[in-house]
Amino acid sequence: MSNDEPSATDLADAGRALAGTIRVTPDDALEWEPRFVGRDVPEDYTALVSRTGPGTLAGALRLLVPGFDGFDQETEQRRHAAPHEEALLWGVFGSGETCWWLPIRPDPAEWLVVVAGDGHQQLNLTAAEFLDEWLDGRLDLPVLSLPPVRRERVLTRPGHPVEDLASGRSAVRDPLAQLQTIIGLGEAWACDWQAVEREVGVSRLPSDYKRLHEAYGPRVVLNGIFVCAPGELAEHHDMHAGLLRSYGSSEDSTRVHPEPGGLLFCGSTEGRDVLCWETAKPDPDEWPIVNIDSGVFHGNITELLVAELTGTGLGMTDSSLGDPATWAWPIWGPRRPR
C-alpha cells in the first residue's frame, strides 16, 4: 500500500455509488439508525448500508450492521470462527463463508478484505470494490464455493423471502483465475514448449504448468515455493535424480523419469521440500504432485499453489494473514498496491 490510498471521502463516495446500483426490495422505509457506535468502520461500507440498510445482497450475502436482529455484527461475530484475532466481521454468505476486515493499519481506509471458507484469503480491495467485482462475476475466489457468475444487484430487506439471484447456475472454476485473485496478474511470456519437452524427454508437459509460466514468466516464486523454470527442468531433474530414487521404503525401487511412470522434478521450497510430477498416467494433465517428504497432492501445480496460499494444501509454507509489506515474500492480490 502507498500514500495515495483512498481517503475517507473517496471511500464514502464509492459506497454511495455502489448503493446507487442496487435495487432494494421492498422499497418501503426501514426503521434503522445507521450508527456504528464505538468502532471504526471503512467509510465505503458505512455509506453503502446507510443508503440500503441491512439485508441479503443478490440472495447470497447478508450485509451486517450493529443492533439489527438477524443481521447484528456482534452476534454474528460470536457465531463464526475469525480467521485472525483482530478480524472484524461484516458479511455472511448463505453458503457458509464469511467476509471480514483485517485491520493491518490504524486507518480503516487501508484495511484488507478477508474471505474465509475453504481456507482463507485476503484481498487488497475495499468492501465496495469487492462487492462490485463479486456481483459482476469477476472474482473466482478459491475459498468461496459460489461460482463466479453475474448476480442481480438486489438487496432483500430483513424479514422477506430471499431468492438466490444469480444469472447462471454453473461456471468453470479456473485454478489460474483463482490464483490471480490471490497474487494479481503477471506479465505474459512466450516459450518454445516443444524444445523444452524434447530436452526433458516427454511428449507433453502439463497444460497448467505451461499456462502458469505464460501468465507469470519463467520465474514463479510464491511465498517460498519455487516452480521450476521451463529452461531448467531437465537440468534440475538430473540434479535431483539420486534423491528421487531414494524416495520410499528401502524395499522399494522408486521409478524416476525417464523410466516409465517415473517421478519428474518440477519444484521445491525454501524449506527444502522436493516436488515432482508422478508421470504414470498417460495424460500429463492428470499427473499428481508428489512431495517426497509429506505426501501426494491430487491436483496440478497451479491448484497446489492456490491450496498452499489459502491454507488448504500440504502445509509447506505459512499462510497466515497479515500486512504483506512486512512479509519476506509479499503477496498483494488481486491488484498490486496503488
Side-chain angles (χ1 to χ4, degrees):
M1 297 224 172
S2 63
N3 292 330
D4 58 352
E5 284 295 322
S7 67
T9 301
D10 294 333
L11 284 178
D13 289 343
R16 286 189 286 268
L18 176 62
T21 71
I22 295 172
R23 177 171 61 89
V24 178
T25 180
D27 59 2
D28 55 327
L30 180 70
E31 294 184 6
W32 173 70
E33 180 117 14
R35 289 185 178 178
F36 292 84
V37 180
R39 67 176 69 188
D40 291 323
V41 171
E43 289 293 332
D44 61 328
Y45 189 78
T46 301
L48 169 66
V49 296
S50 294
R51 295 288 182 93
T52 65
T56 303
L57 184 60
L61 176 61
R62 284 189 295 138
L63 301 182
L64 308 180
V65 298
F68 200 100
D69 189 34
F71 293 81
D72 179 56
Q73 278 183 306
E74 293 186 7
T75 300
E76 293 298 321
Q77 178 130 1
R78 289 194 295 268
R79 290 176 177 171
H80 294 89
H84 186 278
E85 60 183 4
E86 297 181 10
L88 179 62
L89 183 68
W90 61 267
V92 178
F93 285 98
S95 50
E97 298 89 352
T98 47
C99 295
W100 307 74
W101 286 297
L102 184 65
I104 62 170
R105 310 277 173 78
D107 184 355
E110 299 184 54
W111 292 359
L112 305 180
V113 166
V114 173
V115 180
D118 184 18
H120 51 252
Q121 176 178 1
Q122 62 186 47
L123 307 110
N124 60 331
L125 298 174
T126 66
E129 289 172 332
F130 168 78
L131 292 173
D132 186 57
E133 296 192 24
W134 171 70
L135 287 166
D136 277 352
R138 291 183 279 135
L139 285 177
D140 189 359
L141 301 182
V143 300
L144 186 58
S145 61
L146 298 175
V149 296
R150 193 176 189 86
R151 297 174 182 273
E152 291 188 41
R153 294 180 175 238
V154 175
L155 182 133
T156 304
R157 288 267 173 83
H160 295 271
V162 173
E163 178 185 358
D164 187 356
L165 301 173
S167 61
R169 286 294 177 266
S170 63
V172 175
R173 307 302 295 266
D174 179 2
L176 182 61
Q178 293 181 332
L179 181 65
Q180 289 169 339
T181 68
I182 302 172
I183 66 174
L185 299 175
E187 295 184 5
W189 179 71
C191 178
D192 185 348
W193 291 110
Q194 290 185 340
V196 173
E197 288 161 345
R198 284 194 301 269
E199 185 180 20
V200 175
V202 295
S203 60
R204 183 167 63 87
L205 288 167
S207 301
D208 84 287
Y209 175 80
K210 297 179 182 180
R211 291 184 67 214
L212 177 67
H213 285 289
E214 287 169 352
Y216 290 100
R219 179 174 167 79
V220 177
V221 180
L222 296 175
N223 203 28
I225 303 174
F226 305 86
V227 180
C228 192
E232 298 175 352
L233 265 178
E235 176 187 358
H236 282 232
H237 174 73
D238 290 343
M239 289 170 51
H240 288 85
L243 176 63
L244 298 181
R245 288 192 177 89
S246 67
Y247 166 64
S249 68
S250 57
E251 294 81 12
D252 293 334
S253 177
T254 300
R255 292 184 175 184
V256 175
H257 178 77
E259 297 175 67
L263 297 177
L264 174 59
F265 177 84
C266 62
S268 60
T269 73
E270 63 179 349
R272 298 191 177 184
D273 296 277
V274 175
L275 304 175
C276 305
W277 286 296
E278 186 182 79
T279 65
K281 294 185 177 180
D283 183 356
D285 292 341
E286 297 182 2
W287 291 350
I289 308 297
V290 174
N291 180 325
I292 67 171
D293 291 318
S294 63
V296 179
F297 180 83
H298 293 283
N300 59 44
I301 285 181
T302 307
E303 291 169 332
L304 176 61
L305 292 175
V306 168
E308 287 295 318
L309 294 175
T310 57
T312 62
L314 298 176
M316 298 184 296
T317 60
D318 182 14
S319 60
S320 301
L321 302 174
D323 185 348
T326 67
W327 295 350
W329 306 92
I331 293 176
W332 299 91
R335 290 195 287 273
R336 305 297 186 199
R338 297 176 176 86

